[in-house]
C-alpha cells in the first residue's frame, strides 16, 4: 500500500508548473526595470512608488525559485531508475535534447542581432572568439579553469549551474548504485549542501559553490515526500535554514527556503497537483524556458529602441514596457512551439523503457 505522499506525487504537479511560470515572469519584469540593465530604469523608478520599486528591483530572486524547482523535478524524474552508466548516458542525452536546441537558437539569434548592428568583429572578440562561443554553447563560460568567456545570453549563468547540478547529482546516484549503498547518495547530498551553504554564507557568489545547496534542498524535499528520508529531519532542516538565511539578511536565501517550505507543506497536504492549477499560469510554466531565454533579446532591445520616444511621456513609457512584455511572451511562444516542444518530444523518444515510480514532470 502506497503512502499518501507517494499518491500525491503521481501525475502532473501543477503547482510546480505555475511556480516556474511566475518565476520566469518575475525575472523578465526585473530585467525590464533593473538599474544597469534596463534602458528605462530611471523613468520607471520615477513613476513607481518606492515600495513597488523595491519589490520589482528584487524580482531577480525568481532564479532561486528555479533552482529549488530543478532539484525537486530532477529527483522526481530520476526516481525509480537503476543509476548505472548506461542510464547516466541516456539521461545526459535526453537533457541535452531538451535544453540545447532552444538555448542554441536563442544564442544564435542574439549573436546574429549584435553582428547585424556591427561592427561584428568587436562583438566576436567580446564573446571570446570561436573558443568563447563554443564555451557558451556547452555551458562552460562560467568555469575559469576551462575557458571563461563573456556570456552570449546574460541569463545563461543559471543554465551553467543547472547543468553542473545535473552532473553532480547524477554522479552521486551512480556512485550509490555501484557501491550498493543507498545512503551514499544521501551522504553526498548532505556534504555538498553543507559545503555550498558555507560558501554561500561567506561569499554569496553566483557560482555552483554558492548555489548548489538550493538545488539539493529541492532534492531533499522530494526525498522527504517520498519517505526516502525522515520527514521530520527535513522539516527541522527547513526551520534551521530559515533561521540562518533570515539572520544573514539575504533575500535570495530567504526565497530559496520559502520556496522549499511551500513545496514541502503543499506536498504534505497532497495538493501539488491542484494548487495554482490555473490555465494561464500553467501555460506560462510551459513556455517559461523560452521566456527566460528570449526576454532580454526582445524586450530590452525594444525598450532601447523606444527610449527616445518615452522621454517625458508616462503614457508612452508604460505602453513601451507593455509592448516589451507582450512581444517577449509572443517570441517565447514561437520559440516554444517551433523548437522547445519538438525538442521535448524528441527527448521522450529516447526515454529508457524501464519502470519508474513517477511520471516525469520536468
Amino acid at each position: 500500500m502506497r503512502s499518501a505522499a507517494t499518491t500525491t506525487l503521481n501525475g502532473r504537479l501543477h503547482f510546480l508548473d505555475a511556480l516556474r511560470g511566475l518565476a520566469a515572469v518575475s525575472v523578465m519584469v526585473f530585467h525590464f526595470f533593473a538599474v544597469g540593465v534596463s534602458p528605462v530604469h530611471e523613468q520607471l523608478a520615477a513613476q513607481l512608488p518606492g515600495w513597488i520599486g523595491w519589490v520589482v528591483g528584487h524580482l531577480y530572486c525568481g532564479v532561486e525559485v528555479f533552482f529549488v524547482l530543478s532539484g525537486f523535478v530532477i529527483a522526481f524524474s530520476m526516481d525509480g531508475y537503476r543509476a548505472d552508466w548506461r542510464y547516466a548516458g541516456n539521461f545526459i542525452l535526453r537533457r541535452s535534447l531538451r535544453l540545447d536546441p532552444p538555448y542554441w537558437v536563442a544564442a544564435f539569434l542574439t549573436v546574429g542581432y549584435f553582428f547585424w548592428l556591427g561592427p561584428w568583429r568587436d562583438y566576436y572578440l567580446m564573446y571570446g572568439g570561436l573558443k568563447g562561443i563554443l564555451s557558451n554553447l556547452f555551458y562552460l563560460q562560467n568555469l575559469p579553469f576551462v575557458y571563461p568567456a563573456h556570456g552570449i545570453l546574460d541569463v545563461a549563468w543559471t543554465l551553467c549551474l543547472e547543468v553542473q547540478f545535473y552532473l553532480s547529482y547524477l554522479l552521486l546516484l551512480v556512485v550509490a548504485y555501484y557501491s550498493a549503498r543507498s545512503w551514499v547518495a544521501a551522504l553526498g547530498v548532505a556534504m555538498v549542501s553543507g559545503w555550498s551553504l558555507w560558501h554561500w554564507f561567506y561569499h554569496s557568489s553566483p557560482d555552483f559553490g554558492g548555489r548548489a545547496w538550493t538545488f539539493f534542498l529541492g532534492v531533499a524535499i522530494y526525498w522527504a515526500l517520498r519517505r526516502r528520508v525522515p520527514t521530520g529531519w527535513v522539516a527541522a532542516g527547513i526551520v534551521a535554514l530559515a533561521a540562518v538565511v533570515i539572520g544573514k539578511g539575504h533575500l535570495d536565501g530567504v526565497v530559496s527556503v520559502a520556496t522549499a517550505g511551500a513545496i514541502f507543506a503543499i506536498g504534505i497536504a497532497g495538493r501539488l497537483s491542484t494548487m495554482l492549477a490555473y490555465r494561464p499560469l500553467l501555460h506560462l510554466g510551459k513556455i517559461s524556458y523560452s521566456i527566460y531565454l528570449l526576454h532580454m533579446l526582445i524586450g530590452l532591445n525594444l525598450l532601447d529602441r523606444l527610449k527616445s520616444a518615452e522621454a517625458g511621456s508616462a503614457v508612452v513609457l508604460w505602453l513601451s514596457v507593455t509592448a516589451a512584455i507582450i512581444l517577449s511572451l509572443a517570441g517565447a511562444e514561437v520559440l516554444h512551439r517551433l523548437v522547445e516542444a519538438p525538442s521535448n518530444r524528441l527527448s521522450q523518444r529516447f526515454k529508457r523503457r524501464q519502470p519508474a515510480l513517477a511520471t516525469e514532470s520536468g
Side-chain angles (χ1 to χ4, degrees):
M1 180 176 179
R2 294 184 299 180
S3 67
T6 300
T7 301
T8 58
L9 287 179
N10 287 330
R12 193 75 195 181
L13 307 183
H14 291 134
F15 179 67
L16 305 188
D17 294 329
L19 275 188
R20 188 182 294 113
L22 291 172
V25 171
S26 72
V27 173
M28 175 177 66
V29 172
F30 164 75
H31 283 139
F32 292 172
F33 174 85
V35 60
V37 179
S38 172
V40 294
H41 166 75
E42 293 183 0
Q43 296 96 311
L44 286 174
Q47 293 288 329
L48 294 173
W51 69 272
I52 294 181
W54 183 91
V55 171
V56 175
H58 288 82
L59 289 179
Y60 63 86
C61 289
V63 298
E64 313 301 332
V65 177
F66 278 129
F67 294 159
V68 177
L69 286 175
S70 291
F72 188 99
V73 168
I74 291 301
F76 186 7
S77 67
M78 297 176 72
D79 194 14
Y81 289 90
R82 293 189 302 272
D84 54 18
W85 288 117
R86 184 178 178 184
Y87 172 76
N90 178 265
F91 174 83
I92 292 171
L93 171 64
R94 294 182 62 223
R95 277 287 132 183
S96 177
L97 290 173
R98 292 172 73 95
L99 292 180
D100 294 350
Y103 172 60
W104 288 346
V105 169
F108 175 80
L109 291 174
T110 301
V111 170
Y113 176 77
F114 285 113
F115 279 17
W116 174 69
L117 289 180
W120 70 268
R121 181 172 174 79
D122 291 347
Y123 290 107
Y124 181 74
L125 294 176
M126 180 183 73
Y127 292 136
L130 179 60
K131 289 183 178 179
I133 292 175
L134 290 174
S135 179
N136 270 269
L137 292 181
F138 295 100
Y139 314 99
L140 301 174
Q141 65 268 33
N142 74 327
L143 299 177
F145 55 85
V146 179
Y147 191 86
H150 182 83
I152 294 176
L153 300 181
D154 288 338
V155 298
W157 68 274
T158 64
L159 302 182
C160 295
L161 302 193
E162 291 263 354
V163 171
Q164 291 157 23
F165 161 66
Y166 298 157
L167 296 178
S168 60
Y169 182 58
L170 181 62
L171 179 61
L172 289 174
L173 294 184
V174 169
V175 172
Y177 174 76
Y178 282 106
S179 66
R181 298 289 188 273
S182 59
W183 53 265
V184 169
L187 178 62
V189 166
M191 292 177 64
V192 174
S193 299
W195 161 75
S196 174
L197 191 60
W198 177 88
H199 196 278
W200 172 82
F201 190 85
Y202 288 102
H203 303 289
S204 292
S205 56
D207 58 9
F208 188 65
R211 288 297 189 274
W213 69 274
T214 58
F215 291 101
F216 286 112
L217 182 57
V219 172
I221 297 302
Y222 176 77
W223 283 357
L225 293 178
R226 278 295 190 191
R227 305 296 195 258
R228 305 286 191 268
V229 295
T231 303
W233 290 8
V234 173
I238 292 175
V239 172
L241 274 176
V244 169
V245 298
I246 291 173
K248 184 172 175 59
H250 278 206
L251 186 60
D252 51 0
V254 174
V255 170
S256 297
V257 177
T259 301
I263 295 172
F264 185 62
I266 293 171
I268 290 293
R271 299 197 59 193
L272 285 177
S273 295
T274 57
M275 182 69 73
L276 296 183
Y278 303 113
R279 191 179 299 273
L281 290 181
L282 298 181
H283 189 71
L284 286 175
K286 180 186 295 185
I287 66 171
S288 59
Y289 184 42
S290 294
I291 294 173
Y292 195 69
L293 292 174
L294 284 185
H295 73 272
M296 295 188 75
L297 173 63
I298 296 176
L300 290 183
N301 286 295
L302 177 64
L303 289 175
D304 189 54
R305 295 268 176 164
L306 298 177
K307 184 177 180 180
S308 59
E310 295 155 2
S313 173
V315 173
V316 176
L317 172 65
W318 289 109
L319 287 176
S320 299
V321 172
T322 301
I325 292 173
I326 292 174
L327 288 179
S328 295
L329 293 177
E333 184 73 34
V334 172
L335 181 64
H336 173 78
R337 293 192 180 192
L338 297 184
V339 182
E340 185 184 359
S343 298
N344 290 343
R345 290 193 293 268
L346 180 61
S347 172
Q348 287 295 324
R349 293 179 60 182
F350 288 90
K351 187 173 183 178
R352 293 187 69 187
R353 297 186 180 278
Q354 179 178 339
L357 295 177
T359 302
E360 186 173 9
S361 179

